[in-house]
Amino acid sequence: MADPNDEPLSLLTRMTSTMSMGHTPEARVLIVMTGGTICMQKSPNGLVPARNFLERCMAPRPEFNDGEPHEPIEVRFHDGADGMGELHSLRTPTSVYGKRIRYAVLEFEELLDSSSIDSKGWAEIAQTIFRNYRLFDGFVVLHGTDSLAYTCSALSFMLQNLGKPVIVTGSQVPFSERKNDALENLLDSMDIAGHFMVPEVCLCFNSTLFRGNRTTKISASAFDAFASPNLPPLATITAMDTHVAWNLVTRSTILQPFSIQKDLHIHYVACLRIFPGIKPKMVEAVLRTEDLRGLVLETFGAGNAPSGHDNKLTQVIAEAVQRGIVIVNITQCLTGSVNPLYAPGMVLGRAGVVAGGDMTTEAALTKLSYLLALPGATQESVAKDMARSIRGELTENAGTIFSHPTGELSSPITQLTAIAYAIASGDIEKVKDLLHNDNQLINRADYSGNAPIHLAATGPSLAVLRFLLRLGASVHLRNHTGSGRTPLFLAANAGLLPHVMLLRQAGAHLHAEELDTARLHASQRPEIWNATGLEGT
Ligand code: ASN
């Protein structure tokens, strides 16, 4: 069967391999509707958000609806015992990748024009994803474009150790208009969320998938509304193919389950754009704002601010740093990075201003708010983390994490076979040797849908399993057996308790479609199946 996480296959190959299959697996995607032009309708007061997006826009279209009646799908609306409920679900026709996507739309109580979103709205999105994390394979967030880059950036920090795709999109023209970009953007986003293991917060727009925290809105009217000036797209979608730049995709390598930081201190930060002739008093007035804890300073070029004949501006800034405010230097330029190339930039650095590298303002502001909100945050810890990449939001000087492997690769299938042998014999040195510096193979599946993690989940060596997890192996990939088995299911089925525990530590859970079979097995071997977290589902 063709798997989009495998190497590229032609469209024709995919179609024929899909047709030869009997059972068509389903991916579950939750669409979270927050508002924005995509759902808007005309009113006497201009465009306003409208409800019932699934029934109004998606159900009548064959791209989104295979026409069969479907059971409602389980969704968690709130925390607590009475938080579970159901939503009307639809299913797409089978894709070229041989999967159908079953989905529901969860609409927020208040649908917003995104110019009005703030940290409360971001918390609501993060909590919705957290509550429904186990029930879905991926998430699509529908949002207005005005503050979309801010929301993507904020979510990328709030969602910690994310292991599933969260694709944020919107449109420049409402879905209800005859000529629009909503249909394309939504279809692409659902395809990515349902087929590709890109466990990041991404922005999908105009046939392009970007890392969310690298984006900025560059046009108020063009379909090509977003850019990622300092990082190439994570994927491009053409009529022929979706080409994922797997070497750019980041994955959590910390063995901790998914969690969220739902409070951002956005009310304690500010952003100030330096301009020629700006008065130090003006900067000081901002820096004296009550409760201010962080400032993003948009400077010229490689990070330069006017020095002035009396150095007053630098003095004002240095004093604010001494009072405990974290000041981050971001360039006004669209591309390039802040670095101490020129004397004025160096002076700012000496005054205690953190160089923000090539971060966008959107990323810098939301990251600062996130770090300031972390328990135990200090001025030093925040300043230190602002200067390094925590979610791929800035390019670190070492530049090694995104580099391509050197030398010629033999075919991925040959390599996967070699890896499979090394895993089966518990040869950690060999596994390290084969996978090192090549993060493109880590989540790649063979013809039976087994990625290295599936093999290690039932392999003889716990050390190999740990090594793969630390390299960013996804615990949510499903192979092609049954309804699609996760590594956790396979480890429990093989009776390997230590493997089960390690996978759980790394955030693994059973897939919704595995639960019935798991419950059957649990009656025979409760100790091991209960360790999968089955009881808590
Ligand atoms: N004002 C709209 C919003 O951000 C713009 C859009 O979605 N195209 O909600």
Side-chain angles (χ1 to χ4, degrees):
M1 188 208 303
D3 187 315
N5 297 299
D6 296 349
E7 64 189 303
L9 294 172
S10 77
L11 201 62
L12 191 66
T13 320
R14 279 202 207 103
M15 283 174 154
T16 34
S17 63
T18 301
M19 285 185 295
S20 62
M21 283 178 344
H23 167 82
T24 310
E26 272 183 17
R28 293 188 178 196
V29 171
L30 181 64
I31 301 176
V32 182
M33 168 59 81
T34 71
T37 296
I38 193 161
C39 73
M40 288 191 187
Q41 279 186 331
K42 288 191 185 111
S43 83
N45 301 325
L47 286 172
V48 288
R51 306 200 75 83
N52 298 323
F53 188 75
L54 182 121
E55 291 78 8
R56 230 174 8 97
C57 302
M58 302 181 81
R61 303 215 54 122
E63 302 89 330
F64 296 109
N65 189 353
D66 64 4
E68 288 172 32
H70 298 293
E71 302 275 297
I73 203 165
E74 266 199 321
V75 175
R76 181 171 274 285
F77 294 97
H78 308 283
D79 296 331
D82 59 349
M84 283 306 288
E86 286 181 340
L87 277 176
H88 178 34
S89 86
L90 288 178
R91 195 169 63 180
T92 63
T94 306
S95 72
V96 290
Y97 300 113
K99 262 192 194 171
R100 293 181 286 203
I101 299 172
R102 196 133 96 84
Y103 64 93
V105 179
L106 189 156
E107 289 184 345
F108 280 1
E109 236 150 75
E110 192 191 358
L111 298 177
L112 290 177
D113 183 297
S114 78
S115 47
S116 297
I117 201 157
D118 60 9
S119 54
K120 194 171 137 270
W122 296 336
E124 201 177 341
I125 303 172
Q127 281 172 301
T128 302
I129 292 172
F130 184 73
R131 290 185 191 119
N132 289 285
Y133 194 72
R134 282 164 160 258
L135 299 171
F136 293 88
D137 297 294
F139 299 85
V140 171
V141 179
L142 301 182
H143 192 285
T145 58
D146 285 346
S147 60
L148 193 52
Y150 287 91
T151 295
C152 288
S153 298
L155 288 177
S156 77
F157 301 114
M158 296 165 91
L159 306 181
Q160 304 166 137
N161 305 313
L162 181 65
K164 300 184 180 187
V166 172
I167 314 297
V168 192
T169 193
S171 68
Q172 295 282 56
V173 179
F175 204 115
S176 52
E177 290 294 313
R178 198 175 65 84
K179 182 166 168 53
N180 67 67
D181 56 336
L183 187 139
E184 210 70 19
N185 289 346
L186 179 56
L187 207 53
D188 289 344
S189 301
M190 286 173 71
D191 275 353
I192 303 271
H195 294 100
F196 295 88
M197 186 43 83
V198 181
E200 296 201 36
V201 175
C202 301
L203 194 165
C204 184
F205 221 87
N206 195 38
S207 308
T208 314
L209 186 77
F210 302 107
R211 173 168 304 146
N213 58 29
R214 291 290 196 148
T215 59
T216 191
K217 185 170 177 181
I218 53 163
S219 171
S221 52
F223 286 155
D224 197 2
F226 290 90
S228 167
N230 286 309
L231 187 80
L234 297 184
T236 40
I237 301 147
T238 67
M240 288 306 292
D241 214 337
T242 296
H243 177 77
V244 181
W246 289 112
N247 58 317
L248 295 181
V249 174
T250 57
R251 306 169 182 92
S252 171
T253 53
I254 302 169
L255 301 199
Q256 273 169 22
F258 173 59
S259 64
I260 54 170
Q261 166 69 35
K262 66 176 167 41
D263 301 311
L264 285 202
H265 283 184
I266 200 79
H267 300 303
Y268 303 116
V269 298
C271 176
L272 183 65
R273 188 175 175 95
I274 292 288
F275 55 89
I278 190 170
K279 282 185 173 172
K281 259 190 174 337
M282 205 178 267
V283 179
E284 185 168 28
V286 173
L287 285 167
R288 293 264 176 208
T289 309
E290 209 187 332
D291 293 332
L292 190 84
R293 295 185 61 202
L295 178 77
V296 172
L297 199 63
E298 292 187 344
T299 59
F300 306 129
N304 306 317
S307 43
H309 58 277
D310 55 359
N311 253 347
K312 184 73 182 137
L313 184 62
T314 319
Q315 210 183 311
V316 162
I317 287 172
E319 280 167 13
V321 173
Q322 275 153 29
R323 289 200 303 276
I325 296 175
V326 181
I327 305 182
V328 186
N329 191 351
I330 294 295
T331 175
Q332 293 176 14
C333 298
L334 209 50
T335 63
S337 177
V338 164
N339 63 49
L341 194 61
Y342 298 96
M346 247 192 200
V347 168
L348 286 182
R350 289 204 188 107
V353 174
V354 182
D358 59 358
M359 266 188 292
T360 60
T361 299
E362 292 88 330
L365 258 180
T366 52
K367 180 178 176 184
L368 195 52
S369 325
Y370 164 76
L371 292 174
L372 287 168
L374 286 180
T378 62
Q379 188 188 14
E380 291 70 37
S381 70
V382 174
K384 194 167 138 254
D385 285 342
M386 280 308 293
R388 69 182 189 95
S389 164
I390 60 169
R391 303 280 194 277
E393 72 284 2
L394 67 83
T395 312
E396 286 183 355
N397 285 340
T400 46
I401 44 169
F402 296 139
S403 63
H404 283 275
T406 48
E408 270 299 293
L409 281 180
S410 62
S411 116
I413 293 300
T414 319
Q415 290 218 24
L416 281 176
T417 311
I419 293 166
Y421 274 113
I423 293 172
S425 56
D427 187 345
I428 182 132
E429 291 312 318
K430 186 90 186 149
V431 176
K432 281 185 180 169
D433 212 40
L434 288 162
L435 275 170
H436 235 82
N437 290 327
D438 187 2
N439 62 6
Q440 298 183 66
L441 274 176
I442 186 76
N443 285 329
R444 187 164 278 187
D446 63 18
Y447 287 117
S448 56
N450 283 316
I453 184 104
H454 290 103
L455 308 175
T458 53
S461 164
L462 204 59
V464 168
L465 182 59
R466 187 175 290 110
F467 172 73
L468 295 182
L469 290 168
R470 286 208 190 282
L471 219 57
S474 168
V475 292
H476 303 299
L477 286 175
R478 288 153 74 197
N479 70 10
H480 301 159
T481 10
S483 57
R485 297 291 178 226
T486 58
L488 182 63
F489 184 99
L490 298 176
N493 204 33
L496 299 169
L497 191 59
H499 294 55
V500 167
M501 312 270 275
L502 183 58
L503 285 163
R504 289 283 293 152
Q505 191 193 331
H509 62 80
L510 294 174
H511 190 270
E513 289 191 285
E514 291 175 325
L515 294 178
D516 287 345
T517 322
R519 286 196 183 105
L520 278 179
H521 289 309
S523 57
Q524 310 293 319
R525 302 198 60 184
E527 18 25 276
I528 189 128
W529 285 96
N530 287 345
T532 62
L534 185 60
E535 286 297 280
T537 52

